[in-house]
Amino acid sequence: MPLFSLCPIEAGSPFSQYLLPAAADCITAGDPSVLALGVVSGAYAAGAGCVQMRAGEAVLLSLFIDPAIRGQGAARLLLDALIQGCAARGARQLTANYVLEGQSLTAMDKLFRACGAVPYTVSEQAFRMDSTQFHDMPLVRAAFRPTFRPAPAVQRFCDLSPELLDALAKEPDIPDYLKWNACHSRVTADMSLAWVENGRITAYTLAGESPDGGCAQVATVRLPCAAPVSILALVRALIHLSFYRFGGDFPFYTATVTPESRALVQRLSGGQYTEYTEHTAVIALSSLVHE
């Protein structure tokens, strides 16, 4: 049976190719709240996993095994080591959110159940489209033109003031799981966009880079007071930003949690999309914590 070993991951190591961008950025920044381990098969990097500790809780940022060695126990070895590492640091539980389809989704569910996860919950549906589908659509085709300029109310999260972000975090009408603090491990501030009017964020979309070099839109929120055009304006701006960020057409993933957001996907895709499911797995660590 093949033997694998694990090692800590440092910035710029060959294991970075197996990490999602948000996880790799945390390692590059030297974030002390992050625990990252790489899988070694023979003399080669063959996978990686990364968790982040926040106020006694651990969140899985990334977990990927090279297809060449899947099904041989490497994923279980890696996840077990991450669990033990989180417990040693005093985390009470480890939470993982993953968006997959078919056999990949089944395999990930099986892995987490084997490691003691409570029955997973279905969080939401996610859809994959290709930006080539959007070029001729009147709603968004202008976003591909070099002369396109976002609406003045659209701002990137990395440019928002601390005051605006603090006020957004306190908005009572936004569910916690759709807020920046809940999603920030899967998105980036330079791809997430807000609609700002009258000194207030009234709509936003949180997005990051997908593992296959595309755009992953994780959450979209529109308060009742927001302008009716705000969400469409944010989507246009996100498509424009992504097209020039990735140097051309790109896979576009988006999650839907309301009938309105699902209707927008239907309009954008013309019914041509691949549907994925997001699952959430939670592993209790209290019994593993070292005294």
Side-chain angles (χ1 to χ4, degrees):
M1 184 173 180
L3 296 177
F4 307 107
S5 59
L6 303 176
C7 67
I9 296 178
E10 299 179 351
S13 77
F15 297 100
S16 298
Q17 63 182 309
Y18 296 114
L19 293 170
L20 291 176
D25 290 345
C26 287
I27 295 170
T28 300
D31 188 339
S33 69
V34 165
L35 170 63
L37 298 174
V39 177
V40 180
S41 177
Y44 300 98
C50 180
V51 295
Q52 184 175 46
M53 256 61 69
R54 302 189 209 125
E57 306 292 331
V59 177
L60 185 73
L61 299 185
S62 186
L63 180 72
F64 189 84
I65 300 298
D66 193 292
I69 64 166
R70 288 179 187 171
Q72 301 177 48
R76 177 65 185 269
L77 176 71
L78 177 58
L79 185 54
D80 277 340
L82 291 172
I83 289 171
Q84 292 294 333
C86 293
R89 294 189 181 193
R92 296 183 295 272
Q93 68 177 31
L94 171 64
T95 301
N97 294 295
Y98 44 97
V99 181
L100 297 165
E101 65 167 344
Q103 292 182 349
S104 296
L105 181 65
T106 301
M108 190 69 86
D109 287 340
K110 182 179 179 180
L111 172 64
F112 277 97
R113 283 197 295 266
C115 290
V118 298
Y120 61 78
T121 59
V122 179
S123 301
E124 58 194 41
Q125 300 305 112
F127 301 85
R128 183 192 189 279
M129 297 167 276
D130 193 283
S131 68
T132 55
Q133 299 173 224
F134 307 150
H135 283 248
D136 296 323
M137 292 185 176
L139 284 175
V140 294
R141 63 189 177 193
F144 296 96
R145 299 170 185 162
T147 55
F148 173 82
R149 295 292 180 271
V154 175
Q155 296 185 30
R156 296 190 303 171
F157 264 66
C158 59
D159 298 326
L160 297 175
S161 69
E163 291 77 17
L164 277 173
L165 290 172
D166 184 57
L168 181 64
K170 297 175 181 176
E171 284 284 357
D173 296 327
I174 301 177
D176 288 342
Y177 69 93
L178 292 177
K179 291 185 177 181
W180 170 260
N181 287 343
C183 299
H184 86 272
S185 64
R186 296 182 289 160
V187 302
T188 58
D190 62 336
M191 290 185 68
S192 299
L193 304 173
W195 180 271
V196 183
E197 55 184 324
N198 299 320
R200 181 186 181 190
I201 299 172
T202 58
Y204 60 82
T205 184
L206 304 181
E209 187 172 340
S210 64
D212 54 356
C215 173
Q217 188 179 30
V218 172
T220 301
V221 171
R222 176 181 176 273
L223 296 177
C225 60
V229 300
S230 58
I231 294 299
L232 184 55
L234 289 169
V235 170
R236 284 196 192 107
L238 179 58
I239 290 173
H240 176 79
L241 184 159
S242 299
F243 186 74
Y244 289 96
R245 178 189 181 100
F246 300 125
D249 282 304
F250 57 93
F252 183 78
Y253 296 87
T254 183
T256 63
V257 294
T258 65
E260 292 78 10
S261 58
R262 192 179 182 101
L264 180 58
V265 167
Q266 295 285 351
R267 294 174 68 189
L268 284 175
S269 68
Q272 300 179 42
Y273 56 79
T274 301
E275 187 169 343
Y276 293 76
T277 302
E278 178 176 356
H279 283 182
T280 299
V282 179
I283 299 174
L285 306 178
S286 56
S287 62
L288 303 177
V289 176
H290 298 295
E291 298 297 338

